[in-house]
Amino acid sequence: MPAVTETIDTVQSVTEGAYKWGFETDIEMEFAPKGLNEDIVRFISRKKNEPAWLLDWRLKAFAMWQKIEEPRWPAVSYPPIDYQDAYYYAAPKQTVKPRSLDEVDPELLKTYAKLGIPLKEQAILAGVEGAGETPSEGGRMPVAVDAVFDSVSVATTFKARLEKEGIIFCSISEAVQNHPELVRQYLGTVVPQGDNFYAALNSAVFTDGSFVYIPKGVRCPMELSTYFRINAKSTGQFERTLIIADEGSTVSYLEGCTAPMRDENQLHAAVVELVALDDATIKYSTVQNWYPGDAEGRGGIYNFVTKRAQCRGRRSKVSWTQVETGSAITWKYPSCVLLGDDSVGEFYSVAITNNRQQADTGTKMIHVGKRTTSTIVSKGISAGRGQNTYRGLVRVAPTAGSARNFTQCDSLLIGDQCGAHTVPYIENRCMTAKVEHEATTSRIAEDQLFYCRQRGLSEEDAVGLIVNGFCREVLKELPMEFAVEAQKLLQISLEGSVG
Amino acid sequence: MLKIEGLTAEVEGKQILKGVDLEVPAGEIHAIMGPNGSGKSTLSYVLSGREGYEITGGSVSFNGVDLLAMEPEERAAAGLFLAFQYPVELPGVGNALFLRTALNAVRKARGESELDAMQFLKLARERLKALHISEDMLKRGVNVGFSGGEKKRNEVLQMALLQPKLAILDETDSGLDIDALKIVADGVNALRAPGFSALVITHYQRLLDYIVPDRVHVLMQGRIVQSGGPELAKQLEAEGYASVQAAA
């Protein structure tokens, strides 16, 4: 159809340059020497004033990493990464705590402003002493923010207010200093150091990330949010997030990410560990908007991330929701290990690949406890020359009597040069378990576009409407403010990707 | 309102319209009848700007402007509405959202203020009530799981909201029971005004009992071969298209 090529052209013309978070902040940084060896691991640990057990833990991870091979099974291709040609530690230099916004590096403030963070929060993020612990605008639901700038958490907001409830929300570096017993008890218990190549790398060199502990019976009164930004050149970002929801507690956690536009590829290898005890609920939402590279596939973030949750307690519940629009390559399988009886795992995902983006993403649901249930809803959208693979595993152990899983994988193709692939693995060793899998592949049809345009919608608006409709089941899982953001992002990522 | 002169068009290299001449003055409703394959649907798609239809000659003027030079959404904003023979399903897209987005796109293009959700809902409810259509229609996905009759009713609802200057009904009567047919006819008749015209494309005379046209044209083999008053439709119903063919 002639309609298709024309539409694709339109989409591409709009998409180019549409990444509005591609700016770079010119700020004085402190780097560790390039390269990766035991000395760098020691350097990072020393910089962070870590206890000996953690340095040993890192060194053990580094030794493991050297023996593990980089995974080659994902359906993505990229030139070999030279792990010695990158900085593993980069931090904004400012060390003295500023007393007012005037003393904060203006470049850092500009960055926050561009990212759309209100001034009051900017002050808190910049670490201004005494900057508000009260909500910034009357009536608005506050969101506590932890901002990670390259390797370092720059600030966490609303700390005191959360502490009143006994909630700990801080950077993992602070947690190591102030709550070592909790960190030591849980770190690496969900994703062990030697779990996989990138997890081992992260364990050796992780620089910061968020730490959350919700005490027994506490319902966290606000959304907790971490904002990740890679700024410095040639750096990798290796953050580590650990969330523990104690018995009967509830927490909703959001994560957002951006990076400057650069011609080189940058590595992001994070590890996220979630622990839910009896009757605890963790809702973890991600809007991932790392720089995807340009239309020709130059630059962009390699997003090689290990995210896993353990539902350790009875009736515990973990829900992952992700909207993946950025990154040159995404390799990511947020998973749930359902140990406790009647525990629940959920995975809701929208992954978009446009231009030359590649995504190999999905989930693992491991059913161990009795009557455990899991739900997987994956929406993959491929446009341009994007390649999108859903890869998922549902494993039911013999112990998981009456376990249930429902999986739905839908792919939407835009144009004729992209690809969608679905690779579901099902391993059921339990006679009483029920596992269901549904999959569809469709295109944005020419008649759908024409129908919308005949009613007065521009082609871009029509695509946005149709794609948002396609993703609706997932978007409705996101917290309200995030959902609006995600809808806009989908449209920006896809403008013109019609077929 | 609408002036078509010597219009020729091809689909995939095959000539379908072979020189259509037709004029619809403001305030009039014209019917186009013809056998299958005569080019009726092609004419409606060419007028609304669907891709894949190549115009090889002739001109179409819509209130004095060159219709063929406009994008489909510009034609919609200018007041052209096509009621589809097969309304398209948009899974996951709520009907209310779709209707409001469409209405606001058209209002914006016309320099009118956009309606917020509450204003839209009020307007939509009025229109639904006038057309005796259930409010549930707004809550469902666009045409998803709709019966044939519901889809056509939804087209009429959209028409009532968008208030076009020229409505083209492409075999809107096909597959409708008599109640649905009346709703469609009521929708069109309610819009009758000096500034509103309609082109009712149909295979059967039945719809024209409810929407009484000012003129009836017979389209055969890509040309208008005969025109007349409402009585022409009755004659066709009685004698079939063969008689026209013989006369032409």
Side-chain angles (χ1 to χ4, degrees):
Chain A
M1 281 248 166
V4 177
T5 42
E6 221 173 279
T7 317
I8 293 166
D9 291 345
T10 319
V11 176
Q12 275 171 356
S13 65
V14 186
T15 315
E16 278 164 28
Y19 192 77
K20 55 174 188 169
W21 303 269
F23 56 87
E24 180 182 348
T25 306
D26 187 11
I27 204 165
E28 230 189 316
M29 299 290 289
E30 184 180 13
F31 291 94
K34 245 187 191 181
L36 182 54
N37 50 51
E38 276 202 9
D39 289 341
I40 293 291
V41 175
R42 287 176 196 281
F43 175 92
I44 293 169
S45 189
R46 197 165 54 240
K47 267 282 161 201
K48 302 203 155 286
N49 196 24
E50 286 175 355
W53 67 264
L54 190 50
L55 174 62
D56 290 344
W57 193 84
R58 286 177 180 276
L59 291 172
K60 197 173 143 206
F62 180 69
M64 287 173 167
W65 178 70
Q66 287 175 301
K67 289 185 202 126
I68 306 174
E69 289 209 6
E70 199 170 339
R72 286 290 165 201
W73 48 262
V76 297
S77 63
Y78 54 93
I81 298 170
D82 182 356
Y83 290 91
Q84 297 304 332
D85 189 32
Y87 295 104
Y88 288 85
Y89 183 84
K93 220 167 190 176
Q94 193 162 37
T95 46
V96 187
K97 210 173 189 189
R99 269 162 305 171
S100 78
L101 271 181
D102 301 337
E103 290 181 22
V104 177
D105 190 322
E107 291 299 326
L108 196 58
L109 285 185
K110 265 191 226 164
T111 302
Y112 292 136
K114 281 188 206 166
L115 296 170
I117 299 171
L119 198 69
K120 185 92 175 197
E121 267 100 340
Q122 285 179 35
I124 303 167
L125 283 177
V128 174
E129 279 179 47
E133 284 289 353
T134 49
S136 52
E137 288 160 40
R140 192 172 67 103
M141 172 72 177
V143 177
V145 180
D146 180 26
V148 177
F149 200 81
D150 288 322
S151 302
V152 171
S153 168
V154 286
T156 310
T157 62
F158 294 112
K159 215 184 264 183
R161 200 165 150 203
L162 291 167
E163 274 167 11
K164 271 183 215 154
E165 307 264 0
I167 294 167
I168 304 167
F169 177 40
C170 60
S171 71
I172 199 147
S173 310
E174 282 176 74
V176 167
Q177 303 302 324
N178 302 331
H179 309 281
E181 69 300 336
L182 277 175
V183 176
R184 199 168 182 179
Q185 187 184 344
Y186 288 102
L187 186 73
T189 61
V190 182
V191 180
Q193 292 127 298
D195 187 80
N196 66 70
F197 182 82
Y198 303 113
L201 178 62
N202 174 287
S203 301
V205 302
F206 76 88
T207 37
D208 223 329
S210 295
F211 176 85
V212 176
Y213 173 78
I214 314 288
K216 277 183 192 173
V218 171
R219 177 173 285 269
C220 185
M222 61 181 83
E223 306 275 354
L224 302 183
S225 170
T226 299
Y227 192 85
F228 294 102
R229 179 153 180 92
I230 298 177
N231 188 60
K233 209 171 172 177
S234 304
T235 50
Q237 179 154 318
F238 305 95
E239 87 266 4
R240 185 136 195 143
T241 295
L242 177 57
I243 299 178
I244 303 141
D246 213 327
E247 290 170 22
S249 68
T250 299
V251 62
S252 171
Y253 181 90
L254 321 171
E255 148 194 279
C257 350
T258 60
M261 294 162 82
R262 295 187 189 287
D263 286 345
E264 56 173 3
N265 294 106
Q266 287 180 287
L267 179 63
H268 173 251
V271 171
V272 174
E273 298 179 278
L274 311 184
V275 178
L277 302 180
D278 283 357
D279 295 297
T281 298
I282 302 176
K283 185 173 172 61
Y284 193 105
S285 313
T286 304
V287 173
Q288 184 266 107
N289 188 25
W290 295 120
Y291 177 53
D294 68 11
E296 300 306 317
R298 279 183 300 256
I301 302 291
Y302 291 162
N303 191 35
F304 300 152
V305 170
T306 305
K307 293 185 168 178
R308 194 174 305 154
Q310 274 186 5
C311 288
R312 288 193 190 166
R314 288 165 174 268
R315 296 170 300 276
S316 56
K317 178 179 172 182
V318 169
S319 179
W320 298 100
T321 305
Q322 59 171 21
V323 176
E324 304 277 317
T325 63
S327 297
I329 301 176
T330 298
W331 179 95
K332 180 181 171 188
Y333 315 90
S335 304
C336 296
V337 183
L338 304 168
L339 298 171
D341 290 348
D342 300 292
S343 58
V344 177
E346 293 175 339
F347 174 74
Y348 298 96
S349 169
V350 170
I352 289 187
T353 53
N354 197 1
N355 295 319
R356 305 260 179 170
Q357 281 176 274
Q358 307 172 61
D360 192 306
T361 184
T363 184
K364 289 190 278 185
M365 292 291 175
I366 313 295
H367 293 257
V368 180
K370 290 184 182 65
R371 297 172 303 277
T372 46
T373 57
S374 63
T375 305
I376 300 170
V377 178
S378 163
K379 304 277 182 176
I381 301 158
S382 318
R385 291 165 185 256
Q387 291 294 329
N388 208 324
T389 302
Y390 167 81
R391 188 184 301 275
L393 168 67
V394 176
R395 178 182 289 156
V396 185
T399 50
S402 301
R404 290 198 60 165
N405 160 265
F406 173 74
T407 301
Q408 186 189 331
C409 292
D410 298 323
S411 304
L412 188 68
L413 298 170
I414 302 176
D416 55 6
Q417 296 185 67
C418 56
H421 319 274
T422 302
V423 192
Y425 300 86
I426 297 172
E427 298 173 13
N428 188 356
R429 295 199 178 80
C430 178
M431 288 298 283
T432 56
K434 191 173 166 192
V435 178
E436 290 173 81
H437 181 94
E438 285 179 13
T440 66
T441 302
S442 56
R443 278 176 187 283
I444 291 190
E446 185 269 341
D447 62 349
Q448 290 177 321
L449 276 180
F450 176 65
Y451 190 66
C452 293
R453 293 180 74 189
Q454 208 301 306
R455 296 299 183 253
L457 275 68
S458 68
E459 190 160 51
E460 284 161 32
D461 288 346
V463 172
L465 198 71
I466 294 167
V467 167
N468 275 305
F470 175 75
C471 302
R472 206 171 70 120
E473 289 160 275
V474 174
L475 297 179
K476 73 178 166 61
E477 295 294 327
L478 285 174
M480 189 63 172
E481 286 158 65
F482 245 35
V484 175
E485 190 78 357
Q487 280 186 18
K488 283 189 213 149
L489 202 54
L490 287 184
Q491 190 146 351
I492 291 168
S493 310
L494 267 181
E495 272 167 351
S497 51
V498 187
Chain B
M1 175 76 68
L2 181 72
K3 193 171 184 187
I4 305 171
E5 287 181 305
L7 184 64
T8 57
E10 290 180 1
V11 180
E12 287 166 3
K14 193 178 169 215
Q15 192 171 27
I16 307 288
L17 299 183
K18 299 172 181 169
V20 174
D21 295 291
L22 180 66
E23 188 166 357
V24 184
E28 290 193 5
I29 291 179
H30 287 206
I32 293 186
M33 301 183 73
N36 287 331
S38 59
K40 298 193 301 291
S41 283
T42 298
L43 180 62
S44 67
Y45 288 141
V46 165
L47 292 177
S48 51
R50 188 164 190 163
E51 291 177 72
Y53 293 79
E54 199 191 337
I55 291 138
T56 49
S59 66
V60 180
S61 145
F62 181 53
N63 287 324
V65 293
D66 178 6
L67 188 71
L68 301 179
M70 299 161 86
E71 293 293 325
E73 58 269 33
E74 294 169 342
R75 299 181 199 203
L80 185 144
F81 180 91
L82 172 64
F84 282 61
Q85 183 177 2
Y86 304 108
V88 180
E89 297 186 6
L90 302 176
V93 180
N95 211 17
L97 175 68
F98 177 69
L99 294 175
R100 182 157 70 93
T101 309
L103 181 60
N104 281 335
V106 168
R107 287 180 67 97
K108 198 174 164 190
R110 290 173 187 167
E112 297 165 6
S113 66
E114 295 182 40
L115 300 183
D116 65 30
M118 291 312 291
Q119 291 168 318
F120 168 78
L121 204 59
K122 189 163 171 272
L123 180 69
R125 281 188 178 139
E126 281 170 21
R127 297 281 191 270
L128 281 162
K129 207 173 166 194
L131 291 165
H132 305 287
I133 300 174
S134 160
E135 251 186 61
D136 288 345
M137 188 77 105
L138 290 178
K139 293 176 193 149
R140 300 164 64 179
V142 178
N143 295 324
V144 179
F146 283 27
S147 69
E150 284 173 327
K151 284 182 180 174
K152 299 296 170 70
R153 263 177 266 193
N154 197 23
E155 295 291 288
V156 171
L157 172 62
Q158 293 180 42
M159 186 173 72
L161 280 166
L162 294 171
Q163 299 270 311
K165 295 193 177 82
L166 173 70
I168 302 168
L169 282 75
D170 185 9
E171 304 212 18
T172 303
D173 53 334
S174 64
L176 287 194
D177 61 29
I178 207 75
D179 292 336
L181 202 65
K182 278 182 183 163
I183 284 177
V184 170
D186 287 349
V188 175
N189 290 329
L191 289 172
R192 269 193 192 263
F196 172 78
S197 306
L199 206 52
V200 180
I201 295 171
T202 180
H203 201 77
Y204 304 104
Q205 191 267 334
R206 196 175 59 150
L207 177 64
L208 304 180
D209 286 340
Y210 300 97
I211 306 174
V212 181
D214 297 287
R215 299 282 291 167
V216 175
H217 310 275
V218 182
L219 183 68
M220 285 179 84
Q221 292 169 356
R223 282 194 191 90
I224 302 285
V225 293
Q226 196 177 351
S227 299
E231 71 288 349
L232 178 57
K234 296 218 161 48
Q235 182 198 327
L236 286 171
E237 184 81 353
E239 298 173 16
Y241 291 108
S243 64
V244 183
Q245 210 149 16

